[in-house]
Amino acid sequence: MSLDKMTIAKRYSKALFDLAVEKDQLEAIHEELQQIDQVFTDIPDLNQILDDVRLNGEQKSSIVNNLKKDASVYVKNLVQMLYDYGRISNIADIIEQFNGLYAEYNRIVYADLSTAVEIDADQKKRLADKFAEKIGAKQVIINSELDPSIIGGAVLKSNGLVYDGSISSKMAKIKKMLLK
């Protein structure tokens, strides 16, 4: 029976996460995984290279050894295990799942902010702090984008919730009330 990519990612990330917490290595392992993820981002064909039949085992092992060169024993074991079991292509999904567990553990929330005009860093920080206080998060990381269609105000989306303080939605509510 073959496991799907998401099941593999959840199992490996959960095991590594639990081990990192147990060994009090969470921050270090998180940082190492970000560095490995960056390598795969910088070299988008790395998965295909490691799967390429034209490379011999020694060449592939050399690449894997470079990946785990400065890593802790736990991350080295993860990378080696993924390579040995032919699952190295799952590493990005595993890191993504690990990051989700890390954020949940540290009460970090990610939010998308849409505004009609650019807001400065101080405004963004105040908004993030206020939102963190409202939802009980330790930290809110905001990704902001401009959306002139909202006319003014802001729309904040996070974890399936939408906080709409835009002028366009307020105008739509007024219009709806007038039509009643």
Side-chain angles (χ1 to χ4, degrees):
M1 177 173 85
S2 179
L3 297 174
D4 66 271
K5 289 177 71 162
M6 195 50 66
T7 301
I8 292 168
K10 286 180 179 179
R11 286 183 182 177
Y12 280 83
S13 64
K14 179 72 169 127
L16 182 61
F17 181 82
D18 289 346
L19 182 64
V21 170
E22 177 186 320
K23 300 295 184 182
D24 198 27
Q25 295 289 312
L26 184 58
E27 294 302 322
I29 288 175
H30 179 256
E31 181 59 36
E32 290 174 26
L33 291 176
Q34 301 321 297
Q35 291 171 4
I36 290 174
D37 194 42
Q38 189 61 50
V39 170
F40 278 86
T41 300
D42 292 345
I43 309 169
D45 297 332
L46 188 54
N47 282 329
Q48 288 81 13
I49 292 168
L50 289 169
D51 286 336
D52 195 329
V53 294
R54 294 174 290 181
L55 292 180
N56 64 38
E58 189 176 306
Q59 292 168 315
K60 291 178 185 181
S61 288
S62 175
I63 294 170
V64 170
N65 287 337
N66 277 330
L67 270 176
K68 59 184 190 167
K69 182 174 59 175
D70 296 324
S72 66
V73 66
Y74 307 116
V75 173
K76 281 181 184 178
N77 288 344
L78 172 72
V79 171
Q80 189 64 51
M81 189 173 16
L82 292 172
Y83 174 70
D84 291 345
Y85 292 160
R87 293 182 169 162
I88 197 74
S89 63
N90 297 105
I91 198 160
D93 294 325
I94 292 167
I95 293 171
E96 183 179 334
Q97 290 293 316
F98 186 94
N99 288 342
L101 294 168
Y102 176 85
E104 184 179 327
Y105 182 83
N106 286 298
R107 296 186 359 241
I108 299 170
V109 174
Y110 294 88
D112 293 319
L113 173 68
S114 299
T115 56
V117 296
E118 192 72 39
I119 63 170
D120 63 35
D122 185 50
Q123 290 171 313
K124 193 185 292 186
K125 181 177 177 357
R126 284 195 319 256
L127 186 61
D129 291 345
K130 191 73 169 168
F131 186 60
E133 182 182 307
K134 181 177 184 103
I135 63 171
K138 188 187 284 184
Q139 178 184 10
V140 173
I141 298 172
I142 292 181
N143 175 37
S144 62
E145 62 181 31
L146 292 178
D147 182 359
S149 72
I150 65 172
I151 303 171
V155 177
L156 190 66
K157 297 177 184 176
S158 177
N159 295 334
L161 299 173
V162 178
Y163 298 90
D164 192 341
S166 66
I167 300 293
S168 62
S169 71
K170 289 178 182 176
M171 288 172 51
K173 286 178 188 174
I174 292 171
K175 180 180 178 182
K176 188 176 179 180
M177 287 173 29
L178 288 172
L179 291 173
K180 280 187 174 184

